[in-house]
Amino acid sequence: MEQLIQQFFNIEVMRQALPLMLRGLGMTLFLCSIIIPLGLAGGLLLAVLSMRQTRWVRWPAFVFIDILRALPPLVLLILVYSGMPFTGIQISPFWAVCVAFGLNTSSYYGEIYRAGIDSIPAGQYEAARSTGLSQTQAFGYIILPQAVRNVLPDLVSNTLEVVKLTSLASVVALSELLYAANMARSLLFNPSTLVLAALMYIAILWPLVRLLSRLEHKNFRI
Amino acid sequence: MERYYGDILWGMVVTVQIGIGVVITGILLGLVLASLRAARLKLLNVFIVAFADLFRAFPPLVVILFLYFGLPYLGISLSGYVVVWLVLALVLAAFSEEIFWAGIISIKTGQWEAASSTGLSFVQTLGHVVLPQAVRLTIPPLTNRTIAIVKHTALGAVIGVPEILNEAQSAMSRSGNATPLIMGAVAYLIIFLPVVIFGRQLEKRFAWKRI
């Protein structure tokens, strides 16, 4: 037992690693603040494009979404990060992460938006148009708010995923939380730093997870 | 480049193996946990909810690194293969438990009462009445979540599991060319595009829509 605490819950080690890991946490939050809006906006664009009448717009959107959903995010990240230099473009780890994960989450948000928009009865759109609202106005003021409310649990759930996704950035040596924890682990020869990282992730995410549970249960009731 | 086809192919086999293992054990465990939760034993529920919350909150890579580097300190050394399978199965179990549970509680209590009044036991009610309805409600979120989690087998590359990404990266550094990476990406698409499309078909055919 004593050995367990010494190895995994070593307060001294955690204290030493803390400054480095707090900086990593800051980077994690900064990444999220860029990727989430990117994903939300991109997702909305993809959703709208995938619902247009002309198939020349619809099909590429579908293909794009499906490919992005089928590729693991880590693979996409490595593709962008390692592949870009071969085309002559130098890209920093930070922007590689933002681009790769922005694209990935766009496709997921896009599917969620689509499901939400689909769930609004066509009558809403017809009624909106018949009161004189233009297509865009009907979409923005009537359809979208209702759609978002319907799929709010899924949107929150996906946002949670983005926060967890940032931990993958450690693979391309971006100094976010997990990278700092791993670095500290190898410097201090003690995996307590990983436990601390896990605790910090929980601290950020648990409130979101609880909120998500409540939203999910509310939504499933018919 | 042709010589790398074998490596990538072998990586595909590993990826698919881990994927299937994760799906079967994760979903089964999630179903069992959700069913146990339906028994409404307060003490057990505390543990089930804690498990589900924790494993939905941890980034999988953190848990993988923790187990891979941490367990040797306890004298247990698991191969990367097993660590990835274990972590992803637990994460999938946590998510699917919550999804199944949301489905189970949306079944009106009248169903439970009617079943017990016809003499069905708890297990029989679950098996013949509640779960068949609940599971059909849960197919869309379940397929989405399963696909998202199985793709994390790519994380195995970080701890040396010989799956697609790892093989592609080795090939890339051996050949000094990015083509193996593209081949790896295509390999993933070959595996997962059909899965994504199949998932969508499954949704259309079997899922009951929320009203």
Side-chain angles (χ1 to χ4, degrees), chain B residues 161-193:
Chain B
V161 177
E163 51 78 62
I164 301 177
L165 183 59
N166 205 349
E167 300 288 346
Q169 281 182 305
S170 314
M172 195 169 69
S173 54
R174 272 180 281 152
S175 66
N177 194 306
T179 316
L181 196 55
I182 306 288
M183 284 164 62
V186 169
Y188 274 113
L189 288 180
I190 294 178
I191 297 179
F192 284 111
L193 262 180

Side-chain angles (χ1 to χ4, degrees), chain B residues 108-120:
Chain B
K108 301 195 173 59
T109 45
Q111 297 273 321
W112 289 92
E113 292 163 0
S116 87
S117 72
T118 56
L120 293 173

Side-chain angles (χ1 to χ4, degrees), chain A residues 112 147-158 212 215 219:
Chain A
I112 295 174
V148 168
R149 211 169 319 162
N150 273 353
V151 289
L152 203 54
D154 292 319
L155 287 175
V156 172
S157 158
N158 214 32
L212 179 61
L215 285 175
N219 239 33

Side-chain angles (χ1 to χ4, degrees), chain A residues 4-17:
Chain A
L4 206 72
I5 299 185
Q6 236 272 341
Q7 282 303 332
F8 295 114
F9 295 96
N10 196 320
I11 303 291
E12 181 54 37
V13 166
M14 290 187 192
R15 202 184 53 78
Q16 282 183 320

